């Protein structure tokens, strides 16, 4: 999977645009493994990775733009098939002897491109006129020697080019975005037809490769994994279990801030489907004790984070002691559900991580280092879900919407108490049930349900006056949670949720809808 295994990647060179990750995903959708590298990659580093092909991503609007990122152009001498996209296309043109004209003319958004002749291998099978997504300033005026012009637009004489002999191709537009018609065909033409790569990378091959890798890494040692109930830890734990069976112990800390049914889902459905050996730590009272009287959201987060580590370390220590007593193999590894976007965003990508366990339970010996097993390090979220399905994890867990680590603790505005948690848990369960019943799960990124515990308002129910709390529904649509818009839910669904919550949940006499985008608001209330 990564460069230290037999899998040879398509290297996607990131010039700093948000499109590089998208290109990497599109390559994988075409059944070919891809890996992102920074534009500062050197020819020697590329050689060491032994890629089957290179794709240069978009970036600034022009190679002449101020601070335009450099690229080691001796990489073009390595003879590796290359596709340049947008900025990458201009980098290629300039380095290989073409001309990039400082026209200052811009093309942004939907543009008509005209295919020249048969469009070469790159544009084969796509229509003569097509809608493409552009985002550039200056343009390639002359293709390098040996290159054929494959497409033009009104403003750009060379909108795509190719040199079949060298297997070098380029497009000025963004084939990776859905707004470009036939974009995926172009990427697949490059990979399958021009380079000749088979479509043989899929979640099944990932599972097999990871299992072999984990077995080699772990040997006979024992491993522990923290399950949170979320997708990433559920899938990484199941994958490690598939590889090493009962050498793995999973630990699930119930902090009392979970949603209705989540503990049962993990303890029953997840265990039944995977066969994982699970220890549940019942820490609700400890967490609630520490949260007593606390209303500040940051303080709540800190307490929950701290107590989580304490609870986990306590079990860890017990397991280490137990392993010593029964003369078994030592515990040497921790599983983490780190995903590729986390790796890329923290500037990583290579190197093996190793963490020292925290010592605040006061028991772990100083020299106790745990190696990390991160089997999802090269994967995107949708790929992780697919692998989870193939491992037989229940859909209720694999398809789960994002849920914050501090759980319902940050969705109660005000002090967190047992009664308030019970109230919010019921309201949240009703909202989730109705959204699923209305078939809206795919449309919604997530829908936090919030209890305004410090607010009361007057209501009337039966023949009595009530003085209850409001519940806020916060349905949002988003691609990555960085920005979000409020989801326009059908009135009937909203009415049903509102009726059911006010009728079925004691102490709640109002349901309100949050109609704010992010920014300016965040997704969670806190
Ligand atoms: P905000 O509220 O910042 O949330 O717009 C963005 C996304 O992050 C999730 N979130 C968390 N996830 N631990 C997590 O694992 C946390 O502490 C946490 N806080 C917020 C939130 O649900 C949304 O998807």
């Amino acid at each position: 999977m990564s460069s230290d295994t037999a899998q040879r990647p398509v290297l996607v060179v990131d010039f700093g645009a948000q499109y590089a990750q998208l290109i990497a995903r599109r390559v994988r959708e075409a059944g070919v493994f891809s890996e992102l590298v920074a534009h500062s990659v050197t020819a020697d580093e590329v050689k060491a990775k032994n890629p089957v092909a290179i794709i240069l991503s978009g970036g600034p609007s022009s190679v002449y733009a101020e601070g335009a990122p450099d690229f080691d152009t001796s990489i073009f001498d390595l003879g590796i098939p290359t596709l340049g996209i947008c900025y990458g296309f201009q980098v290629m043109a300039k380095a290989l002897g073409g001309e990039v004209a400082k026209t200052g003319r811009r093309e942004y958004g939907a543009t008509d491109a005209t295919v020249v002749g048969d469009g070469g291998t790159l544009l084969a099978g796509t229509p003569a006129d097509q809608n493409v997504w552009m985002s550039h300033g200056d343009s390639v005026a002359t293709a390098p020697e040996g290159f054929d012009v494959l497409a033009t637009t009104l403003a750009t004489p060379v909108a795509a080019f190719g040199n079949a002999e060298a297997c070098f191709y380029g497009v000025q537009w963004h084939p990776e975005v859905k707004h470009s018609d036939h974009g995926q065909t172009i990427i697949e033409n490059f990979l399958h037809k021009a380079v000749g790569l088979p479509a043989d990378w899929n979640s099944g091959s990932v599972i097999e490769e990871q299992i072999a890798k984990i077995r080699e890494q772990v040997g006979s040692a024992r491993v522990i994994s923290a399950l949170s109930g979320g997708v990433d830890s559920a899938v990484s734990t199941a994958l490690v279990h598939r590889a090493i069976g009962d050498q793995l112990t999973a630990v699930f800390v119930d902090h009392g801030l979970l949603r209705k049914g989540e503990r049962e889902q993990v303890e029953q459905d997840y265990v039944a489907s995977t066969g994982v050996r699970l220890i549940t730590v019942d820490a609700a009272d400890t967490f609630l004790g520490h949260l007593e009287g606390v209303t500040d959201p940051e303080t709540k987060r800190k307490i929950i984070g701290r107590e989580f580590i304490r609870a986990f370390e306590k079990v860890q220590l017990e397991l280490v002691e137990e392993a010593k007593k029964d003369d078994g193999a030592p515990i040497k590894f921790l599983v983490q559900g780190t995903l590729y976007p986390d790796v890329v965003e923290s500037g990583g990508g290579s190197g093996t991580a190793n963490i020292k366990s925290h010592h605040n339970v006061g028991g772990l010996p100083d020299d106790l280092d745990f190696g990390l097993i991160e089997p999802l390090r090269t994967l995107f979220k949708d790929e992780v879900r697919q692998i989870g399905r193939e491992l037989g994890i229940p859909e209720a867990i694999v398809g789960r919407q994002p849920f914050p680590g501090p759980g319902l603790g940050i969705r109660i505005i005000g002090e967190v108490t047992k009664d308030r948690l019970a109230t919010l848990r019921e309201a949240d369960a009703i909202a989730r049930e109705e959204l699923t019943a209305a078939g809206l799960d795919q449309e919604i990124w997530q829908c936090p349900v919030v209890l305004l515990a410090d607010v009361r308002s007057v209501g009337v129910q039966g023949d009595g006056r009530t003085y209850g709390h409001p519940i806020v529904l916060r349905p949002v649509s988003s691609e990555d949670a960085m920005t979000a818009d409020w989801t326009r839910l059908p009135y009937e669904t909203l009415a049903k949720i509102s009726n059911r919550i006010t009728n079925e949940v004691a102490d709640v006499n109002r349901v309100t809808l949050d109609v704010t985008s992010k920014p300016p608001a965040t997704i969670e209330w806190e």
Side-chain angles (χ1 to χ4, degrees):
M1 303 244 336
S2 62
S3 50
D4 54 21
T5 70
Q7 180 96 39
R8 294 176 62 196
V10 168
L11 283 190
V12 178
V13 178
D14 184 354
F15 283 107
Q18 71 271 38
Y19 297 115
Q21 279 199 28
L22 204 50
I23 297 172
R25 288 177 58 166
R26 298 284 179 251
V27 172
R28 293 182 186 193
E29 278 166 27
V32 179
F33 180 60
S34 63
E35 207 180 306
L36 281 161
V37 290
H39 66 85
S40 54
V41 70
T42 64
D44 282 342
E45 286 163 349
V46 168
K47 245 197 269 175
K49 287 188 178 283
N50 194 20
V52 282
I54 296 174
I55 299 184
L56 307 176
S57 81
S61 60
S62 160
V63 283
Y64 297 117
E66 209 175 304
D70 280 342
F71 182 64
D72 179 353
T73 52
S74 62
I75 289 170
F76 292 120
D77 301 330
L78 299 176
I80 301 165
T82 302
L83 171 67
I85 291 176
C86 192
Y87 179 83
F89 169 66
Q90 295 189 7
V91 167
M92 234 173 144
K94 194 165 163 236
L96 300 174
E99 189 198 346
V100 180
K102 289 189 190 183
T103 60
R105 260 202 320 257
R106 288 156 179 260
E107 263 179 322
Y108 282 110
T111 309
D112 278 331
T114 307
V115 174
V116 176
D118 65 1
T121 309
L122 190 67
L123 304 180
T126 68
D129 284 305
Q130 51 190 287
N131 223 319
V132 300
W133 191 261
M134 289 283 200
S135 173
H136 70 116
D138 298 334
S139 300
V140 176
T142 323
E145 211 181 300
F147 280 72
D148 298 319
V149 175
L150 305 179
T152 60
T153 70
L154 268 184
T156 315
V158 185
F161 60 40
N163 176 335
E165 203 179 316
C167 205
F168 279 174
Y169 292 90
V171 274
Q172 180 63 68
W173 65 86
H174 286 278
E176 73 278 16
V177 306
K178 296 282 183 204
H179 311 287
S180 285
D181 295 344
H182 316 286
Q184 187 65 14
T185 307
I186 293 171
I187 290 172
E188 292 186 6
N189 278 348
F190 172 69
L191 297 170
H192 303 318
K193 295 191 175 145
V195 189
L197 299 172
D200 61 1
W201 188 86
N202 55 42
S203 36
S205 55
V206 175
I207 293 173
E208 276 169 38
E209 269 175 51
Q210 281 303 314
I211 286 177
K213 198 172 159 194
I214 293 164
R215 283 184 184 150
E216 193 188 314
Q217 186 185 0
V218 169
S220 61
R222 291 196 230 188
V223 179
I224 29 185
S225 177
L227 273 178
S228 71
V231 182
D232 310 343
S233 67
V235 176
S236 52
T237 302
L239 197 48
V240 174
H241 181 260
R242 187 63 72 91
I244 60 167
D246 278 352
Q247 278 168 262
L248 172 78
T249 305
V251 177
F252 176 54
V253 177
D254 180 356
H255 50 25
L257 309 168
L258 298 165
R259 292 185 290 183
K260 192 173 178 176
E262 278 184 334
R263 176 168 171 162
E264 292 72 21
Q265 255 169 23
V266 172
E267 285 190 320
Q268 291 159 26
D269 307 349
Y270 181 76
V271 168
S273 65
T274 57
V276 161
R277 196 160 82 95
L278 177 75
I279 296 179
T280 301
V281 183
D282 217 330
D285 289 342
T286 313
F287 276 78
L288 277 179
H290 286 286
L291 287 169
E292 203 176 308
V294 179
T295 53
D296 175 62
E298 273 312 301
T299 313
K300 278 186 197 170
R301 277 180 172 278
K302 284 206 178 97
I303 292 171
I304 297 168
R306 184 193 70 206
E307 289 308 313
F308 188 87
I309 291 174
R310 279 189 184 165
F312 186 66
E313 282 181 345
K314 201 160 157 248
V315 191
Q316 203 169 296
L317 185 61
E318 284 163 13
L319 288 171
V320 167
E321 290 304 320
E322 197 184 289
K324 272 189 202 151
K325 256 189 249 151
D326 71 10
D327 221 14
I331 298 176
K332 281 200 181 159
F333 297 94
L334 290 178
V335 181
Q336 289 213 337
T338 317
L339 301 193
Y340 200 39
D342 307 330
V343 175
V344 172
E345 271 147 37
S346 58
S350 49
T352 46
N354 204 44
I355 58 154
K356 242 190 160 105
S357 173
H358 299 264
H359 292 188
N360 38 357
V361 194
L364 293 178
D366 273 349
D367 57 355
L368 190 63
D369 274 324
F370 283 101
L372 287 186
I373 303 176
E374 298 179 298
L376 312 179
R377 246 179 105 75
T378 58
L379 302 174
F380 293 106
K381 191 87 169 187
D382 41 354
E383 295 166 345
V384 169
R385 289 205 161 100
Q386 191 48 38
I387 287 171
R389 289 187 185 106
E390 288 192 26
L391 291 171
I393 300 172
E395 191 58 34
I397 293 177
V398 175
R400 177 168 285 168
Q401 293 172 357
F403 184 62
L408 298 181
I410 57 165
R411 290 184 180 172
I412 291 175
I413 310 306
E415 188 191 358
V416 179
T417 67
K418 217 170 199 160
D419 289 347
R420 289 170 170 188
L421 281 166
T423 303
L424 178 54
R425 207 170 272 132
E426 285 309 310
D428 173 77
I430 292 170
R432 283 194 287 148
E433 200 180 306
E434 290 303 331
L435 291 173
T436 303
L440 292 163
D441 287 339
Q442 293 307 314
E443 225 167 287
I444 297 170
W445 168 265
Q446 65 186 130
C447 180
V449 175
V450 182
L451 174 65
L452 304 186
D454 286 346
V455 178
R456 278 182 185 275
S457 72
V458 174
V460 57
Q461 231 156 356
D463 31 73
R465 187 186 125 106
T466 59
Y467 196 44
H469 299 290
I471 281 283
V472 181
L473 304 176
R474 173 73 169 135
V476 292
S477 304
S478 176
E479 290 279 327
D480 53 11
M482 302 294 283
T483 60
D485 197 8
W486 60 280
T487 311
R488 274 61 167 176
L489 293 179
Y491 283 158
E492 310 82 72
T493 310
L494 288 169
K496 201 153 184 205
I497 294 173
S498 168
N499 282 341
R500 281 197 58 197
I501 289 178
T502 47
N503 282 327
E504 296 173 33
V505 185
D507 269 345
V508 174
N509 63 356
R510 254 172 231 278
V511 174
T512 65
L513 178 67
D514 183 344
V515 291
T516 327
S517 59
K518 172 184 179 176
T522 51
I523 293 175
E524 301 290 345
W525 268 53
E526 312 201 26

Short mmCIF file of all heavy atoms in Angstrom, two decimals, residues 301 402-407 410-411 445-446 448 474 480-482 484 518 521-526, ligand 1:
data_model
loop_
_atom_site.label_atom_id
_atom_site.label_comp_id
_atom_site.label_asym_id
_atom_site.label_seq_id
_atom_site.Cartn_x
_atom_site.Cartn_y
_atom_site.Cartn_z
N ARG A 301 -14.55 19.83 27.60
CA ARG A 301 -13.74 19.05 26.65
C ARG A 301 -12.46 18.54 27.30
O ARG A 301 -12.05 17.40 27.10
CB ARG A 301 -13.35 19.95 25.45
CG ARG A 301 -14.42 20.03 24.39
CD ARG A 301 -13.92 20.94 23.27
NE ARG A 301 -14.82 20.91 22.13
CZ ARG A 301 -14.81 19.98 21.19
NH1 ARG A 301 -13.93 19.00 21.24
NH2 ARG A 301 -15.67 20.02 20.19
N PRO A 402 -20.61 11.53 11.45
CA PRO A 402 -19.60 11.94 12.42
C PRO A 402 -20.24 12.30 13.77
O PRO A 402 -21.33 12.87 13.80
CB PRO A 402 -18.98 13.19 11.80
CG PRO A 402 -19.37 13.17 10.38
CD PRO A 402 -20.63 12.38 10.26
N PHE A 403 -19.56 11.91 14.83
CA PHE A 403 -20.05 12.20 16.17
C PHE A 403 -18.84 12.61 17.00
O PHE A 403 -17.81 11.92 16.98
CB PHE A 403 -20.71 10.94 16.75
CG PHE A 403 -21.34 11.13 18.10
CD1 PHE A 403 -22.39 12.04 18.27
CD2 PHE A 403 -20.90 10.42 19.20
CE1 PHE A 403 -22.98 12.22 19.51
CE2 PHE A 403 -21.48 10.59 20.44
CZ PHE A 403 -22.52 11.49 20.60
N PRO A 404 -18.90 13.73 17.70
CA PRO A 404 -17.70 14.21 18.39
C PRO A 404 -17.27 13.28 19.52
O PRO A 404 -18.12 12.70 20.20
CB PRO A 404 -18.12 15.58 18.93
CG PRO A 404 -19.60 15.54 18.98
CD PRO A 404 -20.04 14.62 17.88
N GLY A 405 -15.96 13.17 19.73
CA GLY A 405 -15.43 12.36 20.82
C GLY A 405 -16.06 12.68 22.17
O GLY A 405 -16.45 11.77 22.90
N PRO A 406 -16.22 13.96 22.54
CA PRO A 406 -16.82 14.29 23.85
C PRO A 406 -18.34 14.02 23.89
O PRO A 406 -18.98 14.30 24.90
CB PRO A 406 -16.54 15.78 24.03
CG PRO A 406 -15.54 16.14 22.99
CD PRO A 406 -15.70 15.16 21.87
N GLY A 407 -18.88 13.53 22.79
CA GLY A 407 -20.25 13.03 22.77
C GLY A 407 -21.31 14.04 23.16
O GLY A 407 -21.19 15.25 22.88
N ILE A 410 -20.98 17.78 24.95
CA ILE A 410 -20.89 19.14 24.39
C ILE A 410 -22.19 19.54 23.67
O ILE A 410 -22.28 20.63 23.13
CB ILE A 410 -19.68 19.31 23.45
CG1 ILE A 410 -19.71 18.31 22.30
CG2 ILE A 410 -18.37 19.22 24.22
CD1 ILE A 410 -18.77 18.66 21.16
N ARG A 411 -23.19 18.66 23.68
CA ARG A 411 -24.47 19.04 23.06
C ARG A 411 -25.50 19.41 24.12
O ARG A 411 -26.67 19.65 23.80
CB ARG A 411 -24.98 17.90 22.18
CG ARG A 411 -24.11 17.74 20.94
CD ARG A 411 -24.62 16.70 19.99
NE ARG A 411 -23.74 16.61 18.83
CZ ARG A 411 -23.82 15.69 17.90
NH1 ARG A 411 -24.77 14.76 17.97
NH2 ARG A 411 -22.98 15.68 16.88
N TRP A 445 -25.11 15.53 6.25
CA TRP A 445 -23.76 15.19 6.72
C TRP A 445 -23.85 14.69 8.16
O TRP A 445 -23.35 13.66 8.51
CB TRP A 445 -22.88 16.43 6.60
CG TRP A 445 -21.55 16.33 7.28
CD1 TRP A 445 -21.25 16.77 8.54
CD2 TRP A 445 -20.35 15.77 6.75
NE1 TRP A 445 -19.93 16.51 8.83
CE2 TRP A 445 -19.36 15.91 7.75
CE3 TRP A 445 -20.01 15.18 5.53
CZ2 TRP A 445 -18.04 15.47 7.56
CZ3 TRP A 445 -18.71 14.75 5.35
CH2 TRP A 445 -17.75 14.89 6.36
N GLN A 446 -24.53 15.48 8.99
CA GLN A 446 -24.85 15.06 10.34
C GLN A 446 -25.92 15.98 10.89
O GLN A 446 -26.14 17.07 10.35
CB GLN A 446 -23.62 15.07 11.26
CG GLN A 446 -23.03 16.44 11.50
CD GLN A 446 -21.73 16.42 12.29
OE1 GLN A 446 -20.75 17.02 11.88
NE2 GLN A 446 -21.71 15.77 13.44
N PRO A 448 -26.63 17.24 14.57
CA PRO A 448 -26.59 17.35 16.02
C PRO A 448 -27.96 17.76 16.59
O PRO A 448 -28.67 18.54 15.97
CB PRO A 448 -25.57 18.46 16.26
CG PRO A 448 -24.67 18.42 15.07
CD PRO A 448 -25.58 18.06 13.92
N ARG A 474 -30.01 20.61 14.33
CA ARG A 474 -28.95 21.27 13.55
C ARG A 474 -28.55 20.38 12.37
O ARG A 474 -27.44 19.82 12.32
CB ARG A 474 -27.77 21.52 14.50
CG ARG A 474 -26.49 22.04 13.87
CD ARG A 474 -26.61 23.46 13.45
NE ARG A 474 -25.36 24.09 13.08
CZ ARG A 474 -25.25 24.85 11.98
NH1 ARG A 474 -26.29 25.06 11.19
NH2 ARG A 474 -24.11 25.43 11.69
N ASP A 480 -16.82 18.20 3.91
CA ASP A 480 -15.67 17.86 4.74
C ASP A 480 -15.75 18.47 6.15
O ASP A 480 -14.76 18.47 6.87
CB ASP A 480 -14.40 18.36 4.06
CG ASP A 480 -14.51 19.84 3.69
OD1 ASP A 480 -15.46 20.50 4.15
OD2 ASP A 480 -13.64 20.34 2.96
N ALA A 481 -16.90 19.03 6.51
CA ALA A 481 -17.11 19.66 7.82
C ALA A 481 -16.35 20.98 8.02
O ALA A 481 -16.49 21.63 9.04
CB ALA A 481 -16.80 18.70 8.98
N MET A 482 -15.53 21.37 7.02
CA MET A 482 -14.83 22.65 7.14
C MET A 482 -15.82 23.79 6.90
O MET A 482 -15.76 24.83 7.54
CB MET A 482 -13.70 22.76 6.11
CG MET A 482 -12.66 21.67 6.22
SD MET A 482 -11.75 21.80 7.75
CE MET A 482 -10.67 23.15 7.36
N ALA A 484 -20.18 24.30 5.89
CA ALA A 484 -21.44 23.53 5.88
C ALA A 484 -22.60 24.48 5.64
O ALA A 484 -22.50 25.68 5.89
CB ALA A 484 -21.63 22.80 7.20
N LYS A 518 -22.08 27.34 8.14
CA LYS A 518 -20.74 27.40 8.76
C LYS A 518 -19.77 27.85 7.69
O LYS A 518 -19.64 27.15 6.69
CB LYS A 518 -20.32 26.04 9.28
CG LYS A 518 -18.85 26.01 9.75
CD LYS A 518 -18.37 24.65 10.18
CE LYS A 518 -16.91 24.75 10.58
NZ LYS A 518 -16.36 23.50 11.09
N ALA A 521 -21.41 30.14 11.91
CA ALA A 521 -21.58 29.25 13.07
C ALA A 521 -20.73 28.01 12.87
O ALA A 521 -20.31 27.70 11.75
CB ALA A 521 -23.04 28.86 13.22
N THR A 522 -20.46 27.26 13.93
CA THR A 522 -19.85 25.95 13.79
C THR A 522 -20.97 24.93 13.66
O THR A 522 -22.15 25.27 13.79
CB THR A 522 -18.98 25.59 15.01
OG1 THR A 522 -19.76 25.80 16.18
CG2 THR A 522 -17.73 26.44 15.06
N ILE A 523 -20.62 23.67 13.41
CA ILE A 523 -21.65 22.63 13.31
C ILE A 523 -22.19 22.31 14.70
O ILE A 523 -23.40 22.34 14.93
CB ILE A 523 -21.09 21.37 12.62
CG1 ILE A 523 -20.76 21.67 11.15
CG2 ILE A 523 -22.10 20.22 12.71
CD1 ILE A 523 -20.09 20.54 10.39
N GLU A 524 -21.29 22.03 15.62
CA GLU A 524 -21.71 21.75 17.00
C GLU A 524 -22.05 23.07 17.68
O GLU A 524 -21.51 24.12 17.34
CB GLU A 524 -20.58 21.05 17.77
CG GLU A 524 -20.12 19.73 17.16
CD GLU A 524 -21.15 18.61 17.29
OE1 GLU A 524 -22.10 18.76 18.10
OE2 GLU A 524 -21.01 17.60 16.57
N TRP A 525 -22.95 23.00 18.68
CA TRP A 525 -23.27 24.20 19.45
C TRP A 525 -22.26 24.43 20.56
O TRP A 525 -21.60 25.42 20.62
CB TRP A 525 -24.70 24.09 20.03
CG TRP A 525 -25.74 24.68 19.11
CD1 TRP A 525 -25.91 24.36 17.80
CD2 TRP A 525 -26.72 25.65 19.44
NE1 TRP A 525 -26.95 25.08 17.29
CE2 TRP A 525 -27.47 25.88 18.27
CE3 TRP A 525 -27.05 26.33 20.59
CZ2 TRP A 525 -28.52 26.79 18.24
CZ3 TRP A 525 -28.11 27.23 20.57
CH2 TRP A 525 -28.83 27.46 19.38
N GLU A 526 -22.13 23.51 21.47
CA GLU A 526 -21.23 23.54 22.63
C GLU A 526 -21.62 24.59 23.65
O GLU A 526 -21.84 25.73 23.34
CB GLU A 526 -19.75 23.72 22.25
CG GLU A 526 -19.37 22.75 21.13
CD GLU A 526 -17.89 22.48 21.02
OE1 GLU A 526 -17.18 22.59 22.02
OE2 GLU A 526 -17.45 22.12 19.92
P1 LIG B 1 -17.52 22.16 14.27
O1 LIG B 1 -18.47 22.21 15.42
O2 LIG B 1 -16.15 22.67 14.64
O3 LIG B 1 -17.35 20.62 13.93
O4 LIG B 1 -18.05 22.83 13.05
C1 LIG B 1 -16.74 20.13 12.78
C2 LIG B 1 -16.84 18.61 12.78
O5 LIG B 1 -16.03 18.04 13.81
C3 LIG B 1 -16.81 17.26 14.69
N1 LIG B 1 -16.26 17.44 16.03
C4 LIG B 1 -15.47 16.54 16.65
N2 LIG B 1 -15.06 15.31 16.28
N3 LIG B 1 -13.89 15.08 18.31
C5 LIG B 1 -14.28 14.57 17.13
O6 LIG B 1 -13.92 13.44 16.82
C6 LIG B 1 -14.25 16.30 18.76
O7 LIG B 1 -13.89 16.73 19.84
C7 LIG B 1 -15.09 17.07 17.87
N4 LIG B 1 -15.65 18.31 17.98
C8 LIG B 1 -16.36 18.51 16.81
C9 LIG B 1 -18.22 17.79 14.54
O8 LIG B 1 -19.19 16.82 14.92
C10 LIG B 1 -18.24 18.10 13.06
O9 LIG B 1 -18.43 16.93 12.29
#
